[in-house]
Amino acid sequence: MPQDTNSVLPPDADAVDLIVSQWRRERPDLDPGPMQVVGRISRLHWALDERLTKVFESFDLGRGEFDMLASLRRSGPPFELTAGELSGSMMVTSGAVTKRVDRLERAGLVARRAADSDARGRLIRLTDRGLEVVDAAVERHVRNEHRLLAGLTPAERDTLAALLRKLARTLPGV
């Protein structure tokens, strides 16, 4: 990692430490301290997304499609939800749900049927093949997440989860 010649960085410094050090040097009137957190969260988001996406792609799924299958799976038998319920559980628009359902239906992973109580309403359910795929995908996904967090102890993961939960409560819509 490049060194900031005007300050001493700790031996375990990363790119965010360098950026913060440079801002402190160039704009001593600003407090770049929040960059220590926000910069790392941003960098981790991109790095984690790339590594998570590889698992979904190995099942020919995008992140949103995996999320839909996982939402249906987590709902329990009969693994069936309305489009509105899916939209709420995935925090996406009904249009996004429709696109994902269309693709997953073509792949034979979900099926639609008219709701018993409202012929205009549609229920989306996992097919037997969809259940097999999502179960295999979520097993690999969880193993991957364990691998990605292996650098933290269980206590550190718990602390980080609690801090992130607290931060999320301060941001509307998270």
Side-chain angles (χ1 to χ4, degrees), residues 16 20 24 30-42 167:
V16 174
V20 169
R24 285 190 171 128
L30 297 177
D31 174 13
M35 290 179 188
Q36 295 278 356
V37 174
V38 175
R40 286 188 177 93
I41 289 173
S42 295
L167 177 60

Side-chain angles (χ1 to χ4, degrees), residues 84-151:
E85 289 168 332
L86 280 168
S87 178
S89 77
M90 298 185 317
M91 296 185 294
V92 296
T93 65
S94 59
V97 168
T98 300
K99 281 178 58 175
R100 292 173 186 167
V101 169
D102 288 346
R103 178 171 176 325
L104 292 170
E105 190 173 41
R106 283 192 304 273
L109 303 178
V110 301
R112 289 181 243 222
R113 71 173 182 87
D116 296 333
S117 61
D118 177 6
R120 293 173 295 150
R122 294 285 177 256
L123 291 169
I124 296 96
R125 70 168 175 79
L126 283 176
T127 62
D128 290 343
R129 182 165 175 256
L131 181 60
E132 289 174 18
V133 168
V134 72
D135 277 349
V138 79
E139 286 173 21
R140 191 175 304 165
H141 174 62
V142 169
R143 279 194 312 270
N144 189 37
E145 286 185 329
H146 278 280
R147 182 183 61 78
L148 294 171
L149 297 178

Side-chain angles (χ1 to χ4, degrees), residues 7 19 39 49 55 57-58 63 65 73 76-77 96 118 133 135-136 144 152:
S7 69
I19 290 166
D49 188 62
V55 170
E57 288 173 349
S58 72
R63 173 184 283 283
E65 294 160 345
R73 179 64 175 96
D118 177 6
V133 168
D135 277 349
N144 189 37
L152 300 175

